Amino acid sequence: MNFTRWSARLPGTQRRAAARTEQTASPDRRGESSVPAARAERPTDESPSVPAVDELRVREVLDRVPSLVALVHGPDHRIAYVNDAYTTAFGVRPLGERAREALPELNALGLFPLLDQVQRSGKPRTVKSRKAPDGRSYTFTCTPVAQGDGKGGSDGRGVLVFATDVTDHAEAAERLRASERRQRETAVTLQRSLLPQELEQPDDLRIAATYHPGGTEAAVGGDWYDVITLGGGRTALVIGDVMGRGVRAAAVMGQLRTAVRAYARLDLPPHEVLQLLDGLAAEIDANQIATCAYAIHDPNEGKLIYSSAGHLPILVRDENGTVLRADEPTGPPLGTGGWMHASGSIPLAPGSTAVLYTDGLVERRDADLDEGIAALERALAGATGTPQVVCDRLVRSAGVTPDHDDDVAVLVLQHPSRTGADGELFRNAALELLGGVEAAPRARAFASGVLTSWRFPADLHDLGVLATSELVANSLQHGTPPMRLRLRRTDRRLIIEVTDGDDHLPRRRRAEPGDESGRGIAIVATIASNWGCRRTPGGGKAVWCEFALPRTQTT
């Protein structure tokens, strides 16, 4: 086949030829008013003759380029030409044969649909970094060319295939992707190891949580959650989000989560916990900020006491399906400093479900944040079942997929509404401690009657009465009115709590032989499974102890 017939039809060739013809045909017009043209330098006899680009034969050029070049023509893509680089890479190819059989490497790369498309549309197409059977990677550009007669038609069209070896670039890019994958896997592993491996399950709540790292193209963030049993039947619930991504964000998250658990053991109000965290976050890294919501559930109060540092509002669905959104107070994120946080409350009656979540669940680039929260409210209104079922439904309704562009953490808790035999395992009894010293024997008698009605074994009955006596005596001696005794049983423990109006917290100490006081708390700490004290929101304190129930008592 005469290759020059194709070269005349390569893009740009006709335009350049026409320009030369026009230039040659134009006479050299020099009139009196004309401006002489600048004299061009002409080669002397000694200067070597340099051919113009238009005088070069296309084949001579293509034979010498290091890139792979092949030319096919006609509807069945018959081979018109392959250059030396092509034959070096894939071997000699017979001219005139159908490319599907004679160029199996192009078939393996899936290029023939692209050749058909280029031939039909007359527009060039490029595919990047395809790995060929020889193990090297090429970027292929397919350009339409027309046969020299210029009459068109399917038989007059060909496609010039130009392949550039990009193996080094592809390998470098793959090494970079592999490095990014390892870094992400390290961050995800660190993130998951810092999250609770198993959620604490309080007596009065049912809880489930889930964490979804961002997709493969997104570095893992610093989302976290936690459940902390405080004793006395109370539970702390935490969710937070460290701004930023990668190992650093996960490490900061781990430090904050550890600090939250330490501060929670002090049994402080939510806003005081966030106040401590705010100062700590600034010390950990002044350039990192985090949002956090900290809530406390007390089964005797029927509500969540919470505080928020720039975090999204807690949602609560009551037993009728009505969804409430926690209102202010909301302070700035942790690490900003200069703000006094405050606590608020939201009802959590029996039969209610509460949801704490991070922004990855509701925030989208193409929608307002309030729209995402409103959509979550609608999904929660219709979500029933166990906490894990609710958790999964909320994640699905938000469209969270494995390639989601942000981390998602969700914490769901339910306060079950118990009736029948199950309800008998959760009982409360309270007594106002009025009067003076006569309040102590009245409290002992009350505790004895309640524990007997709850059918506790004799040894647990006696220990409960003794603990009641010591806690009441301590309150009568060191506290101030109003005083109150509260007994509570769950399916797992007996809780005895005494509150009074004095905010001085007792501490366990070693009593000397001659001391007339100081033994009450030591006795309680010895006989009980656990004990503690805290200041109450309205002023005063609460001192409590717990006894683990025998297994026969929990069935």
Side-chain angles (χ1 to χ4, degrees):
M1 181 176 185
N2 186 358
F3 192 82
T4 57
R5 295 180 62 211
W6 292 91
S7 65
R9 301 295 293 173
L10 287 174
T13 304
Q14 285 183 312
R15 291 194 299 273
R16 290 192 294 269
R20 286 199 309 273
T21 303
E22 182 179 335
Q23 206 171 27
T24 304
S26 300
D28 184 14
R29 300 177 180 177
R30 294 185 180 180
E32 294 181 358
S33 61
S34 63
V35 179
R39 179 177 297 176
E41 295 185 3
R42 297 178 180 176
T44 64
D45 295 339
E46 292 79 12
S47 301
S49 177
V50 179
V53 173
D54 292 336
E55 297 175 4
L56 296 177
R57 296 184 63 198
V58 174
R59 177 162 188 160
E60 292 179 358
V61 175
L62 296 182
D63 279 343
R64 288 169 173 76
V65 296
S67 300
L68 281 58
V69 179
L71 180 66
V72 298
H73 71 93
D76 52 357
H77 305 304
R78 294 188 177 274
I79 303 175
Y81 167 76
V82 291
N83 71 344
D84 293 342
Y86 197 104
T87 57
T88 300
F90 297 113
V92 177
R93 295 295 184 258
L95 300 181
E97 297 294 326
R98 288 167 50 92
R100 288 186 182 273
E101 291 78 23
L103 301 178
E105 58 277 359
L106 298 188
N107 195 29
L109 290 166
L111 287 184
F112 284 105
L114 184 68
L115 295 179
D116 294 336
Q117 182 183 5
V118 169
Q119 198 172 59
R120 287 194 305 269
S121 66
K123 296 179 180 179
R125 294 287 186 270
T126 298
V127 292
K128 296 182 178 180
S129 192
R130 293 281 180 92
K131 196 165 187 178
D134 65 348
R136 304 193 65 80
S137 297
Y138 298 91
T139 290
F140 290 87
T141 298
C142 299
T143 304
V145 292
Q147 220 168 356
D149 56 17
K151 296 180 180 179
S154 59
D155 290 336
R157 284 197 177 275
V159 179
L160 183 70
V161 181
F162 191 90
T164 305
D165 191 333
V166 294
T167 304
D168 292 341
H169 295 286
E171 291 177 352
E174 180 55 36
R175 287 194 296 270
L176 179 60
R177 286 192 293 268
S179 176
E180 291 174 345
R181 284 194 298 269
R182 287 193 297 270
Q183 292 181 13
R184 183 178 183 279
E185 289 168 1
T186 299
V188 170
T189 301
L190 175 61
Q191 172 87 344
R192 290 192 181 279
S193 68
L194 294 174
L195 291 173
Q197 301 306 300
E198 185 175 350
L199 286 178
E200 297 183 26
Q201 294 293 333
D203 298 1
D204 296 275
L205 298 176
R206 296 172 183 165
I207 300 178
T210 187
Y211 169 73
H212 292 267
T216 55
E217 299 300 322
V220 67
D223 295 16
W224 94 91
Y225 55 82
D226 209 348
V227 178
I228 308 165
T229 53
L230 302 176
R234 302 165 76 248
T235 305
L237 306 129
V238 195
I239 195 158
D241 185 1
V242 177
M243 303 303 170
R245 296 183 179 277
V247 174
R248 181 57 184 167
V252 172
M253 177 274 288
Q255 295 177 78
L256 291 178
R257 177 176 174 255
T258 301
V260 169
R261 294 191 71 86
Y263 295 147
R265 299 306 178 190
L266 301 176
D267 214 340
L268 300 171
H271 66 276
E272 293 189 24
V273 172
L274 293 189
Q275 207 70 49
L276 293 171
L277 278 179
D278 185 34
L280 179 64
E283 293 178 10
I284 292 174
D285 189 339
N287 297 319
Q288 290 272 16
I289 62 174
T291 64
C292 181
Y294 183 92
I296 294 177
H297 174 255
D298 188 331
N300 298 306
E301 297 179 357
K303 59 185 177 181
L304 281 178
I305 308 297
Y306 69 91
S307 186
S308 175
H311 204 77
L312 299 172
I314 299 171
L315 303 181
V316 176
R317 175 188 183 274
D318 65 19
E319 58 183 350
N320 299 318
T322 302
V323 177
L324 302 177
R325 183 187 301 192
D327 297 323
E328 301 289 348
T330 296
L334 303 175
T336 55
W339 182 269
M340 294 300 296
H341 292 273
S343 294
S345 66
I346 186 170
L348 189 72
S352 298
T353 299
V355 179
L356 292 78
Y357 52 97
T358 57
D359 57 3
L361 186 67
V362 295
E363 190 174 34
R364 300 293 181 270
R365 295 178 182 177
D366 57 349
D368 186 77
L369 180 60
D370 285 336
E371 294 179 8
I373 298 175
L376 181 62
E377 289 178 342
R378 292 190 294 272
L380 178 60
T384 58
T386 67
Q388 189 60 60
V389 170
V390 173
C391 206
D392 294 340
R393 287 189 62 179
L394 295 182
V395 170
R396 286 197 304 271
S397 69
V400 176
T401 59
D403 59 351
H404 195 62
D405 62 357
D406 196 5
D407 290 29
V408 174
V410 184
L411 181 65
V412 174
L413 58 134
Q414 291 180 343
H415 185 188
S417 180
R418 297 182 172 91
T419 57
D422 187 38
E424 289 296 318
L425 298 177
F426 292 80
R427 305 290 294 276
N428 287 279
L431 175 68
E432 301 293 334
L433 300 176
L434 304 175
V437 294
E438 68 273 12
R442 190 162 58 249
R444 286 193 294 270
F446 175 78
S448 178
V450 169
L451 298 181
T452 299
S453 68
W454 288 350
R455 299 179 182 178
F456 284 165
D459 56 344
L460 182 57
H461 171 279
D462 294 343
L463 290 174
V465 172
L466 175 58
T468 299
S469 178
E470 294 298 335
L471 292 180
V472 170
N474 184 78
S475 182
L476 291 173
Q477 182 175 359
H478 301 288
T480 59
M483 301 178 184
R484 181 183 176 90
L485 167 67
R486 178 182 290 158
L487 302 178
R488 176 172 173 78
R489 72 155 294 168
T490 71
D491 58 344
R492 285 178 264 177
R493 71 197 78 231
L494 166 66
I495 303 168
I496 302 171
E497 182 181 82
V498 176
T499 59
D500 64 58
D502 184 80
D503 61 2
H504 177 73
L505 299 180
R507 60 185 178 87
R508 183 180 181 182
R509 63 186 179 88
R510 184 185 181 91
E512 298 298 330
D515 292 345
E516 296 183 359
S517 62
R519 294 180 175 84
I521 295 299
I523 292 173
V524 171
T526 301
I527 64 176
S529 305
N530 193 16
W531 81 281
C533 56
R534 71 179 187 280
R535 290 187 174 89
T536 52
K541 66 177 179 293
V543 185
W544 55 267
C545 67
E546 297 177 349
F547 294 88
L549 299 186
R551 187 172 297 275
T552 55
Q553 286 289 315
T554 64
T555 57

